[in-house]
Amino acid sequence: LLSIIIPTFNERQNVPVMIERIDQTLLGSVPYEILFVDDSTDDTPCVLAEMARKNPRVRFFHRMGERGLATAVMRGFAEARGEVLAVMDADLQHPPELLPQMFQAIEQGYDLVIPSRFVPGGDDGGLSPMRKLVSFGARMIGRTCLTKVRPCTDPTGGFFMLRRTVIENVELHPLGWKILMEILVRGRYKQMVEIPYRFQRRLGDRSKMSLREQIQYIRHVGRLMKASPEDWRFFKFLLVGLSGVGVNLVVFTFLFHMLGQRELTAATVAATVSMFSNFLLHDRFTWRGMGRGIQWIRLIKYGLVSSLGLMIQVGIICISLEWWGWHSLMANLAGIAGGTLWNYIANNRWTWSAQEWAVPAKMRKS
Ligand SMILES: Nc1nc2c(ncn2[C@@H]2O[C@H](COP(=O)(O)OP(=O)(O)OP(=O)(O)O)[C@@H](O)[C@H]2O)c(=O)[nH]1
Ligand SMILES: [Mg+2]
């Protein structure tokens, strides 16, 4: 059984069209139920009650005094009887005609099926240029900050299908709207697939998207980062790096402008001091509790990694300036990104590696 969960907030015009199009698409081919989880303040519940009376496949739940798209979907999960669950918006931006193809993918063994506007054949034409920009920013933030979201090109679309096992006994703590991000990070799935689709223009009624939802989204991403240790560590690494820039500037200003030291001397001392402060902060904050043994050894490793990082940074800048003819600002940014990535990966694997180097058993003294 496929349970199609549709959250509604004041969607009275859209509900009948939605049901009709789902029936036209699925009736006779896939066993299904349609579950509306409604928080409306208008007469949508009356429309839903009428629909549920006429159509045995329709059920609805009206939540009194509650709001929130993600929690509405959670309620849908709890009430659903199906082994396969689908979530979609009520305004027909998500075409119901895609449901059979999604269901087929589940039958083929995929755990999670996500229609995407951003794979070849997809299209997000239904949004205004401004909304497109906001949506692009949101996707980039989510995919940059969260490793598990990265393989998905459309994690904010709100249209997906999954096997119940993906969320069974998983504690979900959604905030705001993007329940799919929550599932991508915390869910139990092995195989995920994306299907291209054309995002439609909103049908009827007003949009419920607001600035408040966008702020909630940022908070939600922060919370998910804390729930995934690697992502959180990388964020702390960047924070410490930023603090290093601050330390460097303060020391340089003090030596050069206030004590009148030579520029090169001031820059060298500033770089050394900021490297020390970065090391101490990484040791106590970024990789807290990860470093084994003597701190001096970690400091030497950190120095080596940083020196190589500097070479990588300069190398990238030279190559992109000389060979590719990039603008100096772009070349510098690419260099910083390359060096930073190297530093993180090398320090994570080597300087603060939680595992001791494995010594073969026969070489170990008994
Ligand atoms: N139950 C419930 N549903 C909601 C709530 N807020 C929004 N929805 C529903 O969630 C879906 C998405 O809302 P939309 O207003 O279409 O948001 P959007 O698709 O990001 O924005 P548009 O492109 O302008 O349509 C719709 O089916 C809404 O009715 C809520 O607080 N509770
Ligand atoms: Mg919509």
Side-chain angles (χ1 to χ4, degrees):
L1 180 71
L2 165 67
S3 297
I4 304 162
I5 297 158
I6 305 174
T8 47
F9 183 81
N10 298 353
E11 303 278 5
R12 58 186 307 282
Q13 294 176 37
N14 288 330
V15 165
V17 192
M18 188 75 197
I19 297 173
E20 194 189 318
R21 277 182 52 185
I22 294 178
D23 277 346
Q24 273 172 5
T25 311
L26 293 180
L27 210 57
S29 59
V30 176
Y32 64 96
E33 60 171 358
I34 310 174
L35 261 70
F36 288 94
V37 184
D38 180 62
D39 297 338
S40 299
T41 48
D42 67 358
D43 66 347
T44 306
C46 304
V47 178
L48 285 169
E50 174 66 11
M51 288 287 149
R53 200 176 54 76
K54 285 199 292 202
N55 188 332
R57 289 169 300 276
V58 173
R59 291 196 284 148
F60 85 100
F61 305 91
H62 179 69
R63 305 194 302 174
M64 290 287 273
E66 260 191 272
R67 276 295 307 264
L69 180 49
T71 54
V73 173
M74 299 262 290
R75 172 74 186 272
F77 288 158
E79 303 285 352
R81 297 180 183 137
E83 281 308 302
V84 181
L85 312 168
V87 175
M88 60 198 302
D89 288 355
D91 57 0
L92 294 150
Q93 282 179 312
H94 301 149
E97 290 70 24
L98 212 63
L99 289 167
Q101 202 185 338
M102 292 163 76
F103 192 74
Q104 216 172 20
I106 295 277
E107 282 183 318
Q108 283 166 2
Y110 289 102
D111 304 302
L112 187 54
V113 185
I114 305 171
S116 168
R117 299 166 278 180
F118 310 107
V119 287
D123 179 45
D124 76 335
L127 286 181
S128 69
M130 187 58 196
R131 280 289 305 274
K132 271 190 192 166
L133 190 71
V134 172
S135 166
F136 173 80
R139 278 196 312 282
M140 282 308 115
I141 291 173
R143 294 179 71 197
T144 309
C145 296
L146 299 161
T147 320
K148 285 191 174 163
V149 173
R150 223 159 285 160
C152 175
T153 58
D154 199 356
T156 55
F159 189 16
F160 55 95
M161 192 183 283
L162 45 79
R163 285 171 197 279
R164 186 187 276 282
T165 46
V166 174
I167 51 153
E168 214 160 37
N169 302 323
V170 173
E171 267 197 54
L172 299 174
H173 304 283
L175 193 66
W177 275 32
K178 305 301 177 192
I179 182 88
L180 179 57
M181 302 266 290
E182 188 77 14
I183 293 169
L184 282 167
V185 173
R186 300 189 209 259
R188 292 201 198 103
Y189 55 96
K190 286 202 189 81
Q191 297 213 69
M192 187 261 278
V193 66
E194 295 189 299
I195 296 176
Y197 86 107
R198 299 174 77 86
F199 191 67
Q200 311 293 319
R201 193 169 281 282
R202 182 175 230 290
L203 189 81
D205 298 303
R206 257 178 353 110
S207 169
K208 282 92 203 176
M209 177 49 84
S210 64
L211 183 65
R212 184 173 172 273
E213 296 309 333
Q214 283 149 20
I215 294 169
Q216 289 277 55
Y217 174 76
I218 303 290
R219 288 183 53 210
H220 190 196
V221 170
R223 187 146 124 188
L224 287 174
M225 272 170 80
K226 281 192 186 169
S228 32
E230 265 314 304
D231 294 328
W232 188 229
R233 179 164 303 125
F234 186 60
F235 182 67
K236 288 199 277 190
F237 175 81
L238 293 181
L239 271 189
V240 170
L242 215 59
S243 81
V245 175
V247 169
N248 194 312
L249 289 179
V250 169
V251 175
F252 181 84
T253 309
F254 178 70
L255 293 177
F256 181 66
H257 291 289
M258 295 170 77
L259 295 189
Q261 295 289 325
R262 284 189 14 233
E263 214 165 10
L264 189 64
T265 316
T268 311
V269 175
T272 314
V273 172
S274 66
M275 199 198 87
F276 268 107
S277 76
N278 275 5
F279 171 76
L280 288 176
L281 284 171
H282 284 321
D283 208 48
R284 309 243 153 104
F285 176 62
T286 314
W287 282 281
R288 188 193 167 94
M290 303 280 287
R292 299 256 173 88
I294 310 158
Q295 201 179 28
W296 271 105
I297 298 197
R298 289 201 293 280
L299 179 61
I300 292 167
K301 284 179 173 179
Y302 182 76
L304 286 173
V305 168
S306 303
S307 313
L308 212 61
L310 194 63
M311 283 186 224
I312 290 173
Q313 184 170 338
V314 174
I316 292 177
I317 295 174
C318 288
I319 289 172
S320 44
L321 278 178
E322 299 291 323
W323 293 5
W324 301 330
W326 283 14
H327 187 272
S328 58
L329 188 70
M330 278 303 291
N332 251 303
L333 283 177
I336 292 173
T340 307
L341 221 56
W342 157 261
N343 281 346
Y344 180 75
I345 294 170
N347 282 317
N348 203 36
R349 295 258 170 97
W350 190 47
T351 317
W352 282 279
S353 146
Q355 273 168 324
E356 297 288 345
W357 291 107
V359 181
K362 59 180 176 189
M363 287 176 68
R364 240 180 266 149
K365 285 192 190 127
S366 57

